mmCIF file of all heavy atoms in Angstrom:
data_model
loop_
_atom_site.group_PDB
_atom_site.id
_atom_site.type_symbol
_atom_site.label_atom_id
_atom_site.label_comp_id
_atom_site.label_asym_id
_atom_site.label_seq_id
_atom_site.Cartn_x
_atom_site.Cartn_y
_atom_site.Cartn_z
ATOM 1 N N SER A 284 -11.088 6.563 -7.236
ATOM 2 C CA SER A 284 -9.654 6.847 -7.110
ATOM 3 C C SER A 284 -9.088 7.406 -8.413
ATOM 4 O O SER A 284 -8.224 8.290 -8.399
ATOM 5 C CB SER A 284 -8.891 5.590 -6.686
ATOM 6 O OG SER A 284 -8.994 4.576 -7.657
ATOM 7 N N THR A 285 -9.584 6.901 -9.546
ATOM 8 C CA THR A 285 -9.116 7.425 -10.831
ATOM 9 C C THR A 285 -9.478 8.897 -10.982
ATOM 10 O O THR A 285 -8.691 9.689 -11.507
ATOM 11 C CB THR A 285 -9.705 6.606 -11.999
ATOM 12 O OG1 THR A 285 -9.311 5.241 -11.858
ATOM 13 C CG2 THR A 285 -9.197 7.124 -13.336
ATOM 14 N N ALA A 286 -10.665 9.272 -10.508
ATOM 15 C CA ALA A 286 -11.079 10.679 -10.588
ATOM 16 C C ALA A 286 -10.164 11.571 -9.759
ATOM 17 O O ALA A 286 -9.830 12.697 -10.174
ATOM 18 C CB ALA A 286 -12.527 10.816 -10.114
ATOM 19 N N VAL A 287 -9.726 11.073 -8.589
ATOM 20 C CA VAL A 287 -8.795 11.843 -7.755
ATOM 21 C C VAL A 287 -7.457 11.995 -8.461
ATOM 22 O O VAL A 287 -6.864 13.081 -8.479
ATOM 23 C CB VAL A 287 -8.621 11.171 -6.378
ATOM 24 C CG1 VAL A 287 -7.511 11.866 -5.583
ATOM 25 C CG2 VAL A 287 -9.921 11.207 -5.592
ATOM 26 N N ILE A 288 -6.977 10.917 -9.056
ATOM 27 C CA ILE A 288 -5.711 10.969 -9.796
ATOM 28 C C ILE A 288 -5.789 12.001 -10.918
ATOM 29 O O ILE A 288 -4.904 12.849 -11.085
ATOM 30 C CB ILE A 288 -5.370 9.584 -10.379
ATOM 31 C CG1 ILE A 288 -5.060 8.595 -9.261
ATOM 32 C CG2 ILE A 288 -4.181 9.670 -11.344
ATOM 33 C CD1 ILE A 288 -5.030 7.149 -9.700
ATOM 34 N N ARG A 289 -6.863 11.932 -11.680
ATOM 35 C CA ARG A 289 -7.022 12.843 -12.819
ATOM 36 C C ARG A 289 -7.093 14.300 -12.344
ATOM 37 O O ARG A 289 -6.478 15.195 -12.955
ATOM 38 C CB ARG A 289 -8.280 12.474 -13.616
ATOM 39 C CG ARG A 289 -8.455 13.293 -14.888
ATOM 40 C CD ARG A 289 -9.648 12.812 -15.709
ATOM 41 N NE ARG A 289 -9.382 11.505 -16.292
ATOM 42 C CZ ARG A 289 -9.993 10.377 -15.922
ATOM 43 N NH1 ARG A 289 -10.901 10.408 -14.957
ATOM 44 N NH2 ARG A 289 -9.707 9.241 -16.509
ATOM 45 N N TYR A 290 -7.819 14.542 -11.274
ATOM 46 C CA TYR A 290 -7.951 15.908 -10.767
ATOM 47 C C TYR A 290 -6.590 16.445 -10.315
ATOM 48 O O TYR A 290 -6.213 17.580 -10.659
ATOM 49 C CB TYR A 290 -8.945 15.954 -9.609
ATOM 50 C CG TYR A 290 -9.252 17.363 -9.144
ATOM 51 C CD1 TYR A 290 -10.316 18.067 -9.683
ATOM 52 C CD2 TYR A 290 -8.459 18.003 -8.184
ATOM 53 C CE1 TYR A 290 -10.599 19.363 -9.284
ATOM 54 C CE2 TYR A 290 -8.723 19.291 -7.772
ATOM 55 C CZ TYR A 290 -9.790 19.970 -8.326
ATOM 56 O OH TYR A 290 -10.047 21.267 -7.932
ATOM 57 N N LEU A 291 -5.856 15.638 -9.548
ATOM 58 C CA LEU A 291 -4.538 16.072 -9.069
ATOM 59 C C LEU A 291 -3.576 16.314 -10.226
ATOM 60 O O LEU A 291 -2.824 17.304 -10.229
ATOM 61 C CB LEU A 291 -3.952 15.024 -8.123
ATOM 62 C CG LEU A 291 -4.613 14.854 -6.757
ATOM 63 C CD1 LEU A 291 -3.981 13.688 -6.017
ATOM 64 C CD2 LEU A 291 -4.493 16.128 -5.924
ATOM 65 N N ALA A 292 -3.583 15.410 -11.196
ATOM 66 C CA ALA A 292 -2.678 15.549 -12.336
ATOM 67 C C ALA A 292 -2.996 16.805 -13.134
ATOM 68 O O ALA A 292 -2.089 17.563 -13.517
ATOM 69 C CB ALA A 292 -2.767 14.312 -13.218
ATOM 70 N N ASP A 293 -4.280 17.050 -13.381
ATOM 71 C CA ASP A 293 -4.673 18.231 -14.162
ATOM 72 C C ASP A 293 -4.409 19.512 -13.385
ATOM 73 O O ASP A 293 -3.889 20.493 -13.933
ATOM 74 C CB ASP A 293 -6.155 18.138 -14.534
ATOM 75 C CG ASP A 293 -6.443 17.032 -15.543
ATOM 76 O OD1 ASP A 293 -5.477 16.513 -16.140
ATOM 77 O OD2 ASP A 293 -7.629 16.688 -15.724
ATOM 78 N N LYS A 294 -4.787 19.504 -12.110
ATOM 79 C CA LYS A 294 -4.637 20.715 -11.289
ATOM 80 C C LYS A 294 -3.171 21.100 -11.120
ATOM 81 O O LYS A 294 -2.829 22.294 -11.101
ATOM 82 C CB LYS A 294 -5.287 20.484 -9.915
ATOM 83 C CG LYS A 294 -5.361 21.728 -9.049
ATOM 84 C CD LYS A 294 -6.396 22.703 -9.589
ATOM 85 C CE LYS A 294 -6.524 23.932 -8.713
ATOM 86 N NZ LYS A 294 -7.546 24.871 -9.225
ATOM 87 N N SER A 295 -2.300 20.114 -10.999
ATOM 88 C CA SER A 295 -0.881 20.381 -10.759
ATOM 89 C C SER A 295 -0.076 20.513 -12.053
ATOM 90 O O SER A 295 1.117 20.817 -12.007
ATOM 91 C CB SER A 295 -0.275 19.241 -9.924
ATOM 92 O OG SER A 295 -0.245 18.037 -10.674
ATOM 93 N N GLY A 296 -0.721 20.283 -13.186
ATOM 94 C CA GLY A 296 0.028 20.281 -14.436
ATOM 95 C C GLY A 296 1.024 19.140 -14.486
ATOM 96 O O GLY A 296 2.071 19.245 -15.128
ATOM 97 N N ARG A 297 0.664 18.047 -13.804
ATOM 98 C CA ARG A 297 1.539 16.858 -13.714
ATOM 99 C C ARG A 297 2.930 17.232 -13.224
ATOM 100 O O ARG A 297 3.951 16.727 -13.710
ATOM 101 C CB ARG A 297 1.613 16.127 -15.056
ATOM 102 C CG ARG A 297 0.246 15.697 -15.571
ATOM 103 C CD ARG A 297 0.298 14.560 -16.539
ATOM 104 N NE ARG A 297 -1.054 14.136 -16.929
ATOM 105 C CZ ARG A 297 -1.362 12.964 -17.460
ATOM 106 N NH1 ARG A 297 -0.402 12.082 -17.667
ATOM 107 N NH2 ARG A 297 -2.598 12.656 -17.776
ATOM 108 N N SER A 298 2.967 18.121 -12.238
ATOM 109 C CA SER A 298 4.247 18.609 -11.718
ATOM 110 C C SER A 298 4.865 17.689 -10.675
ATOM 111 O O SER A 298 5.995 17.907 -10.256
ATOM 112 C CB SER A 298 4.070 20.013 -11.120
ATOM 113 O OG SER A 298 3.155 19.991 -10.038
#
Side-chain angles (χ1 to χ4, degrees):
S284 63
T285 301
V287 172
I288 293 167
R289 185 175 290 111
Y290 187 92
L291 290 175
D293 291 347
K294 188 72 178 181
S295 67
R297 303 203 176 200
S298 61

